[in-house]
Amino acid sequence: MVGAADRAKRVARTSVWLSGTARRVRAPRRGAAGAVGLDRERITVAAVRLLDAEGPAGFSMRRLAAELNVTAMSVYWYVDTKDELLELALDAVFGELELPDAGSEEGWRDQLRELATGYRGLLVRHPWVPGLIGNLLNIGPSAMAFSACVRQVIRKTGMPPDGRTGAMSAVLQFVYGAHVGGAETRERDFEFALELLIAGIETKVPPA
């Protein structure tokens, strides 16, 4: 029977954010052909671009190396596995989100609309993201900053503590399920449904 310690070790080995790999800087080997100017940021940007163009099915380390005009081994000097690179790419796109200042005087309704709309825009621009969220640990710094901001905005609603997790899940799961498409009618439907969701949250907030 697998114990908790063994499970924790297995998770740490399979996530760039828990294994320490994300903080490790590995220099290219001396004399490596084609590796000049290569770094983790450039690799991650290229990975996002390739995923946008071809999706996870068309993504491979060899294909990425060809895009960068380097050898596949050069890429492995900066990441240990393909999954590590996918985790880095996933967090990189979460870094595109402009988060509201949850500590400001701005109303929670506008901030919640901003977060939901921004998250949906991310999923529309990068349709490969939902599949990775379901298969990889999405615990990079940008993703965690987004989650923390949503949590802070939900707290501003005045929702009792025992209802905040449910409210947060309702918002994120709603957006996650509504990410496909972008036509005017679908946009209108999304905005209407979001207003219904906000109105529903308001009904659960105790009177001041």
Side-chain angles (χ1 to χ4, degrees):
M1 184 175 180
V2 178
D6 291 330
R7 284 195 297 271
K9 289 179 181 178
R10 184 164 52 202
V11 170
R13 285 198 302 270
T14 57
S15 174
V16 70
W17 306 113
L18 299 178
S19 65
T21 307
R23 297 183 297 273
R24 189 175 69 235
V25 177
R26 190 185 298 179
R29 295 172 184 170
R30 186 170 299 175
V36 176
L38 195 63
D39 56 33
R40 174 169 281 173
E41 182 178 0
R42 182 183 166 202
I43 291 170
T44 303
V45 169
V48 171
R49 186 167 60 245
L50 185 58
L51 286 163
D52 285 344
E54 303 189 12
F59 183 87
S60 70
M61 300 296 269
R62 188 175 298 277
R63 178 79 174 82
L64 176 64
E67 287 287 313
L68 291 165
N69 196 30
V70 299
T71 65
M73 286 305 299
S74 296
V75 178
Y76 281 112
W77 289 327
Y78 297 91
V79 291
D80 288 339
T81 67
K82 175 182 173 180
D83 280 353
E84 284 189 355
L85 182 52
L86 291 176
E87 284 187 279
L88 291 170
L90 183 59
D91 198 62
V93 297
F94 269 86
E96 297 173 3
L97 293 171
E98 294 186 11
L99 305 180
D101 180 3
S104 71
E105 295 298 319
E106 184 181 9
W108 67 265
R109 296 166 189 81
D110 287 338
Q111 291 190 332
L112 199 57
R113 291 185 188 99
E114 183 178 348
L115 287 165
T117 303
Y119 185 32
R120 179 174 183 263
L122 182 153
L123 297 178
V124 171
R125 291 192 305 275
H126 307 290
W128 48 272
V129 166
L132 294 193
I133 289 176
N135 291 286
L136 298 173
L137 284 177
N138 189 28
I139 56 172
S142 295
M144 296 301 287
F146 170 69
S147 295
C149 188
V150 176
R151 191 176 299 110
Q152 286 179 284
V153 172
I154 292 295
R155 189 180 299 119
K156 286 176 67 173
T157 67
M159 178 78 67
D162 60 356
R164 291 172 188 167
T165 299
M168 180 176 175
S169 296
V171 173
L172 297 181
Q173 290 299 322
F174 159 68
V175 178
Y176 183 91
H179 76 277
V180 178
E184 182 181 347
T185 53
R186 190 177 293 275
E187 190 72 28
R188 187 170 60 245
D189 290 343
F190 173 82
E191 292 174 0
F192 180 71
L194 178 58
E195 292 306 313
L196 289 179
L197 180 60
I198 290 173
I201 291 175
E202 288 180 315
T203 66
K204 295 298 183 181
V205 176

